[in-house]
Amino acid sequence: MKSTLTALIIGFLLASCSQPQTFDVLIKNGQIIDGSGQPSYVGDIAINADTIAAIGNLKNAKGRQEIDATGLVVAPGFINMLSWATESLIEDGKSQSDIRQGVTLEVFGEGWSMGPVTDASIKAIREIGYGNIVYDFEWETLGEYLEFLTKKGVSPNVASFVGATTLRINTVGFEDRAPTDEEMEQMKSMVKKAMEEGALGIGSSLIYAPAFYASTEELIELCKVASAYDGMYISHMRSEGNQLLKSLDELIRIADEANIRAEVYHLKMAGKDNWNKFDAVVSKIDSARAAGLDITTDMYTYTAGGTGLNATMPPWVQEGGYEKWAERLQDPKIRKQLIKEMTTPTNEWENFMMAVESYDDMLLVGFKSDSLKYLTGKSLAEVAEMRKTSPEETAMNLVIQDGSRVGTIFFLMSEENVKKQLALPYMSFGSDEESSAPEGVFLEASNHPRAYGNVARLLGKYVRDEKVISLEEAIYKLTTLPATNLKIKKRGALKTGYFSDVALFNPKTIQDHATFEKPQQFSTGMLHVFVNGVQVLKDGEHTGALPGQVVRGPGYIKSKKP
């Protein structure tokens, strides 16, 4: 009897060993590019729940769901280093324009952040935001906002810097002055709170009022707080044009004196007179890195930037917020002075009106007022001609009439510099746009094509077609590089034990279709996307799944609240 029982046990064990291992998802025969920058290889990837369970030759394994990835690249989900999906995800959590490009993490916080908020910053956010999206502020802190998104349901993961602009509005307001000692302590306390909630660091956008009014010393003091939590300083610098090199010096000084990692948002040499500064910029960054500072950059893959008509007017006229700005624009004496300043080259502020070659290079794309939306997609030159007013007067009038800064696309950069930037070893990528879909409320305004094509344009035009960089290098700069810079744990690479954010695409067909004339067109060639192990894109179509989670920075302290 005993020998029979032993034989049965041995037989059961042998049978168990011969059973193929079963996973939730098995991706077979893909061209694996793991994010490290190393050459690709053909292999299999297994997923259990939200985790990558195995990678390699898994020919004996089974999957409850199996995908034959023959001919497809299998990569880590991509990181959008500069996302403005803060409001579009409230309207539609599916994040289709980015998910259809393989983006699985949206990083917010270019100067403005959705927390911490006060009545003043809520009012300001509504003034600069997407006017057609209506929502209530059901949060106060940055951490609460991110949790609000994921509880509501979003497809991508979300993370954020705390905005230096937001901190200033919450304390100093829109005044052009230094903070008092008490206000400075309040801002530092807000940074501390945000970092402990998981903020990635401090984000600034220094060409715009009221951020323009902040001194270098003020920024250093805020960054010292973020540095104590191993955060990063990331900045839209004071100038990307005439004072580009001086502005880069400021960023490097902040990194040095605050002992903090620093990144340049959307690196560019804006304005034809500044296109020749590429080598000098790289030399400064390389020298700082050689001296031991951790300086990195990101970019979008277009020669045009997108902001508002506020970038054509000096900061002094915008002091006090939109209402004061609009009031001043109606004063004949001020208008006369503004026309002079808007048409005069200067090193005192960033004048995008002087950075473009002609007013035809300024496309108006973001109106809040229904009565002005018929002008969407027209250049400032066209509207000025229609109204028989000068371009400067037209810009002022539109700001008054629309009740907003009026979203505008400016053609500022050279294609040659875009290509040279792609090859920089410390370059990652951000769309600087919302993530939306060509439907519903999103059709009430236009946008920059980078919202729908930033990543696909990189992988199609610049990698496959023009071979500016290799596919492995591009994937590294979309995944492992930004994840490492941000100190994000267990994301940005295909490794066993990492979160299963995975993008599968056809390298022969990946393609952007968005243009400046028709920007709301999805990219194609991305076939399957998983976020935390849940498939959000299947055979190129969104599944409707909303598995996104909050991704927190290295200073995160888990709340003790029940």
Side-chain angles (χ1 to χ4, degrees), residues 217-403:
E217 291 74 20
E218 177 183 322
L219 294 166
I220 289 170
E221 289 305 305
L222 295 178
C223 284
K224 284 179 179 177
V225 180
S227 175
Y229 293 90
D230 203 13
M232 171 190 275
Y233 173 61
I234 188 165
S235 180
H236 179 156
M237 300 187 300
R238 289 191 196 272
S239 173
E240 299 170 322
N242 294 351
Q243 293 293 294
L244 172 59
L245 298 177
K246 183 178 179 181
S247 297
L248 185 55
D249 285 338
E250 180 186 40
L251 178 131
I252 292 170
R253 179 189 164 193
I254 292 169
D256 184 25
E257 295 190 23
N259 189 30
I260 195 168
R261 291 170 287 116
E263 178 152 317
V264 178
Y265 268 136
H266 45 56
L267 181 67
K268 63 173 71 71
M269 296 86 220
K272 192 170 185 179
D273 290 344
N274 298 302
W275 291 354
N276 62 356
K277 293 180 179 177
F278 177 87
D279 290 341
V281 166
V282 172
S283 178
K284 276 188 181 292
I285 294 174
D286 287 348
S287 294
R289 288 169 62 87
L293 296 179
D294 197 345
I295 310 294
T296 52
T297 60
D298 58 61
M299 67 179 290
Y300 43 80
T301 54
Y302 295 82
T303 57
T307 181
L309 290 176
N310 53 329
T312 69
M313 303 181 201
W316 64 261
V317 79
Q318 301 173 53
E319 183 181 359
Y322 173 78
E323 291 178 3
K324 293 289 186 182
W325 177 24
E327 183 180 319
R328 292 188 187 103
L329 293 182
Q330 298 175 69
D331 184 320
K333 291 183 180 179
I334 290 177
R335 288 172 73 94
K336 184 176 180 181
Q337 176 64 24
L338 274 181
I339 290 173
K340 180 179 178 181
E341 293 194 31
M342 291 167 74
T343 55
T344 303
T346 180
N347 292 333
E348 299 302 313
W349 57 283
E350 191 85 329
N351 186 353
F352 277 15
M353 187 166 275
M354 295 302 298
V356 296
E357 291 194 68
S358 78
Y359 299 119
D360 290 313
D361 291 331
M362 297 170 58
L363 300 183
L364 305 171
V365 297
F367 292 99
K368 287 185 177 181
S369 173
D370 289 339
S371 65
L372 294 175
K373 288 179 179 176
Y374 75 99
L375 298 175
T376 299
K378 295 186 182 300
S379 70
L380 183 64
E382 290 177 291
V383 177
E385 175 62 27
M386 290 167 60
R387 295 184 167 203
K388 304 302 178 186
T389 54
S390 73
E392 297 76 30
E393 290 176 296
T394 303
M396 287 187 268
N397 293 339
L398 289 174
V399 167
I400 297 167
Q401 293 163 8
D402 196 53

Side-chain angles (χ1 to χ4, degrees), residues 523-557:
S523 294
T524 54
M526 186 65 59
L527 276 298
H528 308 286
V529 177
F530 291 82
V531 177
N532 300 313
V534 178
Q535 191 163 14
V536 295
L537 196 72
K538 183 177 182 179
D539 297 320
E541 296 296 328
H542 204 290
T543 66
L546 306 170
Q549 296 296 317
V550 178
V551 172
R552 297 178 172 90
Y556 173 62
I557 297 176

Side-chain angles (χ1 to χ4, degrees), residues 87-92 126 129-135 434 441-442 444:
E87 292 182 308
S88 60
L89 286 178
I90 297 175
E91 174 69 21
D92 180 3
R126 293 206 186 285
Y130 201 114
N132 302 303
I133 296 177
V134 179
Y135 59 91
E434 69 192 22
V441 70
F442 300 119
E444 295 181 20

Side-chain angles (χ1 to χ4, degrees), residues 62-104:
K62 297 291 183 182
R64 295 178 182 87
Q65 176 188 358
E66 294 191 0
I67 296 175
D68 183 359
T70 301
L72 301 182
V73 168
V74 183
F78 304 144
I79 296 173
N80 184 351
M81 276 296 296
L82 202 184
S83 170
W84 276 105
T86 46
E87 292 182 308
S88 60
L89 286 178
I90 297 175
E91 174 69 21
D92 180 3
K94 293 193 293 295
S95 190
Q96 290 213 59
S97 60
D98 263 353
I99 287 292
R100 289 170 181 262
Q101 297 181 80
V103 172
T104 59

Side-chain angles (χ1 to χ4, degrees), residues 33 104 173 309 381 398 417-418 428 433 544:
I33 301 181
T104 59
L309 290 176
L398 289 174
N417 281 344
V418 167
S428 55
E433 275 286 347

